[in-house]
PDB file of all heavy atoms in Angstrom:
ATOM      1  N   ALA A  89      90.035 246.548 103.484  1.00  0.00           N
ATOM      2  CA  ALA A  89      90.109 247.407 102.298  1.00  0.00           C
ATOM      3  C   ALA A  89      88.886 247.207 101.405  1.00  0.00           C
ATOM      4  O   ALA A  89      88.335 248.168 100.858  1.00  0.00           O
ATOM      5  CB  ALA A  89      91.382 247.109 101.524  1.00  0.00           C
ATOM      6  N   LYS A  90      88.456 245.966 101.272  1.00  0.00           N
ATOM      7  CA  LYS A  90      87.297 245.665 100.429  1.00  0.00           C
ATOM      8  C   LYS A  90      86.028 246.293 100.980  1.00  0.00           C
ATOM      9  O   LYS A  90      85.191 246.805 100.225  1.00  0.00           O
ATOM     10  CB  LYS A  90      87.127 244.154 100.319  1.00  0.00           C
ATOM     11  CG  LYS A  90      85.964 243.729  99.433  1.00  0.00           C
ATOM     12  CD  LYS A  90      85.887 242.214  99.325  1.00  0.00           C
ATOM     13  CE  LYS A  90      84.700 241.789  98.456  1.00  0.00           C
ATOM     14  NZ  LYS A  90      84.617 240.303  98.339  1.00  0.00           N
ATOM     15  N   LEU A  91      85.874 246.278 102.311  1.00  0.00           N
ATOM     16  CA  LEU A  91      84.666 246.813 102.941  1.00  0.00           C
ATOM     17  C   LEU A  91      84.799 248.283 103.313  1.00  0.00           C
ATOM     18  O   LEU A  91      83.855 248.877 103.839  1.00  0.00           O
ATOM     19  CB  LEU A  91      84.332 245.995 104.192  1.00  0.00           C
ATOM     20  CG  LEU A  91      84.035 244.509 103.987  1.00  0.00           C
ATOM     21  CD1 LEU A  91      83.668 243.854 105.312  1.00  0.00           C
ATOM     22  CD2 LEU A  91      82.919 244.307 102.964  1.00  0.00           C
ATOM     23  N   ASP A  92      85.975 248.871 103.051  1.00  0.00           N
ATOM     24  CA  ASP A  92      86.256 250.269 103.357  1.00  0.00           C
ATOM     25  C   ASP A  92      86.081 250.556 104.846  1.00  0.00           C
ATOM     26  O   ASP A  92      85.448 251.536 105.241  1.00  0.00           O
ATOM     27  CB  ASP A  92      85.357 251.201 102.525  1.00  0.00           C
ATOM     28  CG  ASP A  92      85.849 252.651 102.573  1.00  0.00           C
ATOM     29  OD1 ASP A  92      87.059 252.856 102.812  1.00  0.00           O
ATOM     30  OD2 ASP A  92      85.022 253.567 102.368  1.00  0.00           O
ATOM     31  N   VAL A  93      86.650 249.662 105.658  1.00  0.00           N
ATOM     32  CA  VAL A  93      86.673 249.865 107.102  1.00  0.00           C
ATOM     33  C   VAL A  93      88.112 249.640 107.570  1.00  0.00           C
ATOM     34  O   VAL A  93      88.998 249.365 106.763  1.00  0.00           O
ATOM     35  CB  VAL A  93      85.706 248.909 107.842  1.00  0.00           C
ATOM     36  CG1 VAL A  93      84.267 249.172 107.419  1.00  0.00           C
ATOM     37  CG2 VAL A  93      86.082 247.447 107.586  1.00  0.00           C
ATOM     38  N   LYS A  94      88.349 249.734 108.856  1.00  0.00           N
ATOM     39  CA  LYS A  94      89.697 249.573 109.390  1.00  0.00           C
ATOM     40  C   LYS A  94      89.950 248.126 109.806  1.00  0.00           C
ATOM     41  O   LYS A  94      89.028 247.416 110.201  1.00  0.00           O
ATOM     42  CB  LYS A  94      89.907 250.507 110.575  1.00  0.00           C
ATOM     43  CG  LYS A  94      89.832 251.982 110.183  1.00  0.00           C
ATOM     44  CD  LYS A  94      90.056 252.887 111.376  1.00  0.00           C
ATOM     45  CE  LYS A  94      90.009 254.350 110.961  1.00  0.00           C
ATOM     46  NZ  LYS A  94      90.190 255.266 112.110  1.00  0.00           N
ATOM     47  N   PRO A  95      91.198 247.677 109.730  1.00  0.00           N
ATOM     48  CA  PRO A  95      91.510 246.309 110.140  1.00  0.00           C
ATOM     49  C   PRO A  95      91.039 245.979 111.557  1.00  0.00           C
ATOM     50  O   PRO A  95      90.544 244.869 111.806  1.00  0.00           O
ATOM     51  CB  PRO A  95      93.042 246.260 110.033  1.00  0.00           C
ATOM     52  CG  PRO A  95      93.358 247.230 108.947  1.00  0.00           C
ATOM     53  CD  PRO A  95      92.369 248.357 109.138  1.00  0.00           C
ATOM     54  N   ALA A  96      91.191 246.925 112.473  1.00  0.00           N
ATOM     55  CA  ALA A  96      90.751 246.678 113.848  1.00  0.00           C
ATOM     56  C   ALA A  96      89.263 246.367 113.900  1.00  0.00           C
ATOM     57  O   ALA A  96      88.814 245.550 114.724  1.00  0.00           O
ATOM     58  CB  ALA A  96      91.066 247.890 114.721  1.00  0.00           C
ATOM     59  N   GLN A  97      88.490 246.986 113.034  1.00  0.00           N
ATOM     60  CA  GLN A  97      87.051 246.748 113.018  1.00  0.00           C
ATOM     61  C   GLN A  97      86.723 245.356 112.506  1.00  0.00           C
ATOM     62  O   GLN A  97      85.796 244.710 112.999  1.00  0.00           O
ATOM     63  CB  GLN A  97      86.363 247.816 112.169  1.00  0.00           C
ATOM     64  CG  GLN A  97      86.430 249.207 112.782  1.00  0.00           C
ATOM     65  CD  GLN A  97      85.862 250.270 111.865  1.00  0.00           C
ATOM     66  OE1 GLN A  97      86.384 250.522 110.784  1.00  0.00           O
ATOM     67  NE2 GLN A  97      84.776 250.884 112.296  1.00  0.00           N
ATOM     68  N   ILE A  98      87.477 244.883 111.535  1.00  0.00           N
ATOM     69  CA  ILE A  98      87.283 243.514 111.043  1.00  0.00           C
ATOM     70  C   ILE A  98      87.620 242.511 112.141  1.00  0.00           C
ATOM     71  O   ILE A  98      86.886 241.539 112.377  1.00  0.00           O
ATOM     72  CB  ILE A  98      88.140 243.256 109.791  1.00  0.00           C
ATOM     73  CG1 ILE A  98      87.670 244.135 108.629  1.00  0.00           C
ATOM     74  CG2 ILE A  98      88.092 241.779 109.413  1.00  0.00           C
ATOM     75  CD1 ILE A  98      86.253 243.856 108.159  1.00  0.00           C
ATOM     76  N   ALA A  99      88.735 242.731 112.817  1.00  0.00           N
ATOM     77  CA  ALA A  99      89.145 241.826 113.889  1.00  0.00           C
ATOM     78  C   ALA A  99      88.094 241.759 114.984  1.00  0.00           C
ATOM     79  O   ALA A  99      87.773 240.677 115.500  1.00  0.00           O
ATOM     80  CB  ALA A  99      90.488 242.279 114.463  1.00  0.00           C
ATOM     81  N   LEU A 100      87.534 242.902 115.349  1.00  0.00           N
ATOM     82  CA  LEU A 100      86.517 242.939 116.396  1.00  0.00           C
ATOM     83  C   LEU A 100      85.194 242.352 115.910  1.00  0.00           C
ATOM     84  O   LEU A 100      84.513 241.629 116.657  1.00  0.00           O
ATOM     85  CB  LEU A 100      86.317 244.379 116.870  1.00  0.00           C
ATOM     86  CG  LEU A 100      85.431 244.584 118.095  1.00  0.00           C
ATOM     87  CD1 LEU A 100      85.918 243.755 119.276  1.00  0.00           C
ATOM     88  CD2 LEU A 100      85.387 246.061 118.468  1.00  0.00           C
ATOM     89  N   ALA A 101      84.832 242.631 114.666  1.00  0.00           N
ATOM     90  CA  ALA A 101      83.601 242.062 114.105  1.00  0.00           C
ATOM     91  C   ALA A 101      83.666 240.544 114.086  1.00  0.00           C
ATOM     92  O   ALA A 101      82.655 239.859 114.313  1.00  0.00           O
ATOM     93  CB  ALA A 101      83.362 242.609 112.703  1.00  0.00           C
ATOM     94  N   TRP A 102      84.845 240.003 113.811  1.00  0.00           N
ATOM     95  CA  TRP A 102      85.010 238.540 113.823  1.00  0.00           C
ATOM     96  C   TRP A 102      84.751 237.981 115.213  1.00  0.00           C
ATOM     97  O   TRP A 102      84.030 236.986 115.373  1.00  0.00           O
ATOM     98  CB  TRP A 102      86.417 238.166 113.355  1.00  0.00           C
ATOM     99  CG  TRP A 102      86.666 236.682 113.412  1.00  0.00           C
ATOM    100  CD1 TRP A 102      86.359 235.755 112.462  1.00  0.00           C
ATOM    101  CD2 TRP A 102      87.264 235.962 114.501  1.00  0.00           C
ATOM    102  NE1 TRP A 102      86.722 234.496 112.894  1.00  0.00           N
ATOM    103  CE2 TRP A 102      87.285 234.599 114.142  1.00  0.00           C
ATOM    104  CE3 TRP A 102      87.785 236.344 115.739  1.00  0.00           C
ATOM    105  CZ2 TRP A 102      87.800 233.610 114.979  1.00  0.00           C
ATOM    106  CZ3 TRP A 102      88.297 235.355 116.586  1.00  0.00           C
ATOM    107  CH2 TRP A 102      88.304 234.014 116.195  1.00  0.00           C
ATOM    108  N   VAL A 103      85.318 238.597 116.242  1.00  0.00           N
ATOM    109  CA  VAL A 103      85.099 238.137 117.612  1.00  0.00           C
ATOM    110  C   VAL A 103      83.611 238.199 117.963  1.00  0.00           C
ATOM    111  O   VAL A 103      83.050 237.259 118.544  1.00  0.00           O
ATOM    112  CB  VAL A 103      85.928 238.970 118.609  1.00  0.00           C
ATOM    113  CG1 VAL A 103      85.547 238.641 120.047  1.00  0.00           C
ATOM    114  CG2 VAL A 103      87.415 238.724 118.405  1.00  0.00           C
ATOM    115  N   LEU A 104      82.970 239.296 117.601  1.00  0.00           N
ATOM    116  CA  LEU A 104      81.544 239.459 117.910  1.00  0.00           C
ATOM    117  C   LEU A 104      80.692 238.421 117.196  1.00  0.00           C
ATOM    118  O   LEU A 104      79.599 238.081 117.669  1.00  0.00           O
ATOM    119  CB  LEU A 104      81.093 240.865 117.519  1.00  0.00           C
ATOM    120  CG  LEU A 104      81.625 241.999 118.412  1.00  0.00           C
ATOM    121  CD1 LEU A 104      81.417 243.349 117.735  1.00  0.00           C
ATOM    122  CD2 LEU A 104      80.924 241.982 119.770  1.00  0.00           C
ATOM    123  N   ALA A 105      81.177 237.901 116.074  1.00  0.00           N
ATOM    124  CA  ALA A 105      80.433 236.899 115.311  1.00  0.00           C
ATOM    125  C   ALA A 105      80.605 235.490 115.867  1.00  0.00           C
ATOM    126  O   ALA A 105      79.940 234.556 115.394  1.00  0.00           O
ATOM    127  CB  ALA A 105      80.873 236.923 113.848  1.00  0.00           C
ATOM    128  N   LYS A 106      81.469 235.325 116.873  1.00  0.00           N
ATOM    129  CA  LYS A 106      81.815 233.993 117.363  1.00  0.00           C
ATOM    130  C   LYS A 106      81.094 233.613 118.653  1.00  0.00           C
ATOM    131  O   LYS A 106      81.545 232.738 119.394  1.00  0.00           O
ATOM    132  CB  LYS A 106      83.327 233.899 117.562  1.00  0.00           C
ATOM    133  CG  LYS A 106      84.143 234.174 116.297  1.00  0.00           C
ATOM    134  CD  LYS A 106      83.868 233.163 115.193  1.00  0.00           C
ATOM    135  CE  LYS A 106      84.525 231.834 115.496  1.00  0.00           C
ATOM    136  NZ  LYS A 106      84.424 230.891 114.346  1.00  0.00           N
ATOM    137  N   GLY A 107      79.966 234.243 118.948  1.00  0.00           N
ATOM    138  CA  GLY A 107      79.199 233.879 120.124  1.00  0.00           C
ATOM    139  C   GLY A 107      79.725 234.449 121.423  1.00  0.00           C
ATOM    140  O   GLY A 107      79.392 233.977 122.515  1.00  0.00           O
ATOM    141  N   ILE A 108      80.561 235.465 121.315  1.00  0.00           N
ATOM    142  CA  ILE A 108      81.156 236.110 122.488  1.00  0.00           C
ATOM    143  C   ILE A 108      80.150 237.072 123.116  1.00  0.00           C
ATOM    144  O   ILE A 108      79.401 237.744 122.420  1.00  0.00           O
ATOM    145  CB  ILE A 108      82.429 236.862 122.072  1.00  0.00           C
ATOM    146  CG1 ILE A 108      83.478 235.887 121.525  1.00  0.00           C
ATOM    147  CG2 ILE A 108      82.979 237.682 123.210  1.00  0.00           C
ATOM    148  CD1 ILE A 108      83.864 234.782 122.487  1.00  0.00           C
ATOM    149  N   THR A 109      80.150 237.150 124.445  1.00  0.00           N
ATOM    150  CA  THR A 109      79.206 238.027 125.141  1.00  0.00           C
ATOM    151  C   THR A 109      79.571 239.492 124.950  1.00  0.00           C
ATOM    152  O   THR A 109      78.777 240.293 124.437  1.00  0.00           O
ATOM    153  CB  THR A 109      79.175 237.694 126.642  1.00  0.00           C
ATOM    154  OG1 THR A 109      78.885 236.300 126.818  1.00  0.00           O
ATOM    155  CG2 THR A 109      78.103 238.528 127.353  1.00  0.00           C
ATOM    156  N   SER A 110      80.788 239.857 125.376  1.00  0.00           N
ATOM    157  CA  SER A 110      81.188 241.265 125.351  1.00  0.00           C
ATOM    158  C   SER A 110      82.708 241.366 125.385  1.00  0.00           C
ATOM    159  O   SER A 110      83.313 241.298 126.458  1.00  0.00           O
ATOM    160  CB  SER A 110      80.587 242.007 126.549  1.00  0.00           C
ATOM    161  OG  SER A 110      80.924 243.374 126.533  1.00  0.00           O
ATOM    162  N   PRO A 111      83.367 241.517 124.236  1.00  0.00           N
ATOM    163  CA  PRO A 111      84.825 241.631 124.231  1.00  0.00           C
ATOM    164  C   PRO A 111      85.287 242.924 124.891  1.00  0.00           C
ATOM    165  O   PRO A 111      84.605 243.948 124.839  1.00  0.00           O
ATOM    166  CB  PRO A 111      85.174 241.615 122.741  1.00  0.00           C
ATOM    167  CG  PRO A 111      83.935 242.086 122.048  1.00  0.00           C
ATOM    168  CD  PRO A 111      82.794 241.591 122.880  1.00  0.00           C
ATOM    169  N   ILE A 112      86.462 242.855 125.495  1.00  0.00           N
ATOM    170  CA  ILE A 112      87.024 244.015 126.177  1.00  0.00           C
ATOM    171  C   ILE A 112      87.869 244.815 125.191  1.00  0.00           C
ATOM    172  O   ILE A 112      88.808 244.287 124.589  1.00  0.00           O
ATOM    173  CB  ILE A 112      87.890 243.577 127.372  1.00  0.00           C
ATOM    174  CG1 ILE A 112      87.022 242.818 128.384  1.00  0.00           C
ATOM    175  CG2 ILE A 112      88.542 244.784 128.043  1.00  0.00           C
ATOM    176  CD1 ILE A 112      87.824 242.141 129.471  1.00  0.00           C
ATOM    177  N   ILE A 113      87.537 246.074 125.036  1.00  0.00           N
ATOM    178  CA  ILE A 113      88.253 246.943 124.110  1.00  0.00           C
ATOM    179  C   ILE A 113      89.063 247.972 124.884  1.00  0.00           C
ATOM    180  O   ILE A 113      88.714 248.372 125.995  1.00  0.00           O
ATOM    181  CB  ILE A 113      87.294 247.662 123.139  1.00  0.00           C
ATOM    182  CG1 ILE A 113      86.310 248.550 123.920  1.00  0.00           C
ATOM    183  CG2 ILE A 113      86.552 246.654 122.277  1.00  0.00           C
ATOM    184  CD1 ILE A 113      85.555 249.539 123.052  1.00  0.00           C
ATOM    185  N   GLY A 114      90.162 248.415 124.289  1.00  0.00           N
ATOM    186  CA  GLY A 114      90.953 249.494 124.859  1.00  0.00           C
ATOM    187  C   GLY A 114      90.860 250.718 123.966  1.00  0.00           C
ATOM    188  O   GLY A 114      90.618 250.606 122.763  1.00  0.00           O
TER     189      GLY A 114
END
């Protein structure tokens, strides 16, 4: 809400920030 994006985007951005190569999305 603070960044005016969707919760799913925050969750995915967190994973991408953790040194992950390529998370699998559906």
Side-chain angles (χ1 to χ4, degrees):
K90 181 178 179 180
L91 299 182
D92 194 25
V93 297
K94 296 180 179 179
Q97 292 174 296
I98 295 297
L100 188 55
W102 177 85
V103 171
L104 289 165
K106 302 297 285 188
I108 297 303
T109 305
S110 182
I112 299 170
I113 61 166

